[in-house]
Amino acid sequence: MIDLNADLGEGFGRWRLTDDEQLLSVVTSANVACGFHAGDPATMRRVCELAAERGVRIGAQVSYRDLAGFGRRAMDVPSGELAAEVAYQIGALEVFARAAGSRVSYVKPHGALYNRVVGDARQAEAVVDGVLLADAGLPVLGLPGSRFLEVAAKAGLPVVTEAFADRAYTEEGTLVPRGQDGAVVTDPDAVVERSVDLARLGVVSALGGRDIPVRARSLCLHGDTPGAVDLARRVRAELETCGVRVEPFA
């Protein structure tokens, strides 16, 4: 049993990066950009309506305030400010989710913030504080073994582990930085194979070639890569063919 999530609503104004409508016919959870790294009110509303129509769970993808850098630039934000900004993003998305007849079902950090809270306890605590401020019952999605999930669990938040079929892993179980060669797995066949291994065996091949354990309840399919929709369909079809039940965690 596994959940399929994708980053959606990553547009702004007339510019759209992801094929939200098509991806929402494949995934079971939608990580919706909340306006800080991408997204705007009209886009957030549209994605929430589409997700609600299809029974896809809506997640708040919170980020550093970094539209120009797509949330992928390292930033040092004071803890109190970061907590308030996380709560603000969740609250903004909740308005549109509720209007669509749904609700925000979980929270997932994006980009540089996601990577930062893997090992930075201070920033992890700030994100958790923001989630607690918005809704103390919201599950959080993150990397297995991260400080973020550790801090969230101690605060009483439900934690959900996540894996990436199209991102390379270090032998320590962290994601290879995007600026490094081989950080993104581009071969569709390899992505499909890695998806099945993660779902059925709980392992993934690290960049050095050694299989490492990665136990995850949700599998992320990036929506901003070429051919993302076709690849997502292939992944889901192969998972179901192999006897893996695809359903949301929330």
Side-chain angles (χ1 to χ4, degrees):
M1 180 172 61
I2 199 161
D3 168 72
L4 295 180
N5 77 77
D7 301 347
L8 301 178
E10 291 184 328
F12 197 84
R14 297 178 62 185
W15 172 71
R16 293 188 183 181
L17 178 63
T18 50
D19 189 342
D20 299 325
E21 187 164 2
Q22 294 302 315
L23 283 166
L24 283 167
S25 68
V26 182
V27 301
T28 47
S29 297
N31 316 317
V32 184
C34 298
F36 273 38
H37 74 280
D40 56 30
T43 301
M44 292 161 67
R45 180 180 183 182
R46 176 178 56 83
V47 175
C48 285
E49 289 173 348
L50 290 170
E53 287 172 6
R54 291 160 172 76
V56 175
R57 303 299 187 267
I58 296 169
Q61 186 158 46
V62 297
S63 170
Y64 288 128
R65 189 191 295 269
D66 182 26
L67 275 177
F70 196 61
R72 288 180 175 162
R73 297 186 293 190
M75 303 182 77
D76 285 313
V77 181
S79 295
E81 184 177 337
L82 181 57
E85 291 186 343
V86 166
Y88 177 91
Q89 292 174 78
I90 297 168
L93 187 65
E94 179 71 6
V95 168
F96 299 118
R98 292 282 186 181
S102 185
R103 63 181 299 270
V104 171
S105 295
Y106 65 95
V107 177
K108 173 183 172 178
H110 166 81
L113 182 58
Y114 186 99
N115 291 322
R116 180 73 172 267
V117 298
V118 168
D120 188 321
R122 182 183 64 83
Q123 292 276 275
E125 288 167 359
V127 175
V128 168
D129 286 346
V131 177
L132 292 170
L133 182 60
D135 184 341
L138 279 177
V140 295
L141 190 58
L143 205 67
S146 64
R147 298 302 298 272
F148 175 52
L149 293 191
E150 177 186 336
V151 171
K154 287 181 179 178
L157 293 174
V159 298
V160 182
T161 54
E162 169 181 49
F164 297 81
D166 61 354
R167 288 294 310 276
Y169 280 78
T170 69
E171 293 195 352
E172 290 72 38
T174 59
L175 299 179
V176 174
R178 280 185 174 268
Q180 186 174 328
D181 289 344
V184 179
V185 181
T186 56
D187 179 7
D189 292 336
V191 173
V192 173
E193 182 180 354
R194 288 161 68 90
S195 298
V196 173
D197 286 346
L198 283 163
R200 295 188 67 196
L201 306 175
V203 299
V204 69
S205 179
L207 192 59
R210 184 171 69 87
D211 282 350
I212 60 171
V214 179
R215 299 289 179 181
R217 176 64 181 84
S218 186
L219 183 65
C220 181
L221 305 173
H222 281 103
D224 60 348
T225 54
V229 173
D230 289 339
L231 181 57
R233 287 176 177 149
R234 281 191 60 190
V235 167
R236 177 158 186 165
E238 187 63 23
L239 287 171
E240 292 175 337
T241 297
C242 292
V244 178
R245 192 164 74 252
V246 178
E247 62 180 41
F249 62 82

